[in-house]
């Protein structure tokens, strides 16, 4: 997958050689074993670089995926050779987050308020009340019942 210009400095200078080594180690076949979450292949993905992709017939381009989405981390455990379909599916949630952050940054640069700031303006916060004082324990007989009168211990009956 092409490296975006703003991320180019995050990759090591020898990235092309590192990526090539990962693809060679995978035998130029997608090494995804379900990490992508597509659920379209049992076990290892059958796609091979330069061949027709299963299911779609498009030409397979083998890429090198960073499992933790950190281009600086080129450890062997973090790199997996993936066809473009598996790589895009694997990165889908990460792409949604970065796209939202990019849009928010563009809006902020244009002088727009962030959504949270707008929500804070539109929805007043619930007032914070001071803590209540502890109530004194009530004792039977301290508060007269509304129907009680001296010497009377049951509610009045409706008059007919």
């Amino acid at each position: 997958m092409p490296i975006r210009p703003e991320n180019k400095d995050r990759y090591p200078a020898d990235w092309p050689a590192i990526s090539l080594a990962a693809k060679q180690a995978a035998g130029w076949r997608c090494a995804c074993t379900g990490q992508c979450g597509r659920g379209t292949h049992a076990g290892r993905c059958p796609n091979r670089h330069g061949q027709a992709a299963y299911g779609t017939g498009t030409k397979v381009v083998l890429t090198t995926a960073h499992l933790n989405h950190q281009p600086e981390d080129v450890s062997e455990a973090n790199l997996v050779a993936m066809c473009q379909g598996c790589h895009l599916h694997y990165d889908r949630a990460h792409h949604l987050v970065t796209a939202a952050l990019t849009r928010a940054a563009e809006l902020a640069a244009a002088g727009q308020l962030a959504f949270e700031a707008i929500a804070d303006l539109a929805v007043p916060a619930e007032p914070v009340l001071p803590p209540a004082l502890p109530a004194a324990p009530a004792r039977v007989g301290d508060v007269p019942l509304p129907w009680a009168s001296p010497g009377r211990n049951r509610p009045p009956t409706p008059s007919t």
Side-chain angles (χ1 to χ4, degrees), residues 39-124:
T40 57
H41 52 82
R44 187 173 175 184
C45 176
N47 285 339
R48 295 185 178 278
H49 181 73
Q51 303 293 316
Y54 75 94
T56 65
T58 60
K59 185 177 180 180
V60 173
V61 176
L62 200 61
T63 65
T64 305
H66 293 83
L67 296 178
N68 67 3
H69 307 291
Q70 300 296 318
E72 300 87 357
D73 183 357
V74 293
S75 63
E76 188 176 326
N78 188 45
L79 301 178
V80 176
M82 287 187 181
C83 67
Q84 73 271 29
C86 288
H87 196 161
L88 285 170
H89 274 80
Y90 181 78
D91 283 351
R92 184 168 45 187
H94 179 70
H95 288 168
L96 290 172
V97 169
T98 56
L101 291 172
T102 300
R103 283 191 303 274
E106 289 170 351
L107 288 173
Q112 299 293 314
L113 291 174
F115 178 74
E116 292 79 13
I118 294 169
D120 288 345
L121 292 173
V123 180

Side-chain angles (χ1 to χ4, degrees), residues 10 18 26-27 29 36 47 52 62 66 68 77 87 112-113 121 124 127-128 142-143 147 160:
R10 296 181 64 193
I18 293 169
R29 179 178 165 203
C36 66
N47 285 339
L62 200 61
H66 293 83
N68 67 3
H87 196 161
Q112 299 293 314
L113 291 174
L121 292 173
V128 178
D142 279 355
V143 179
W147 64 83
T160 52

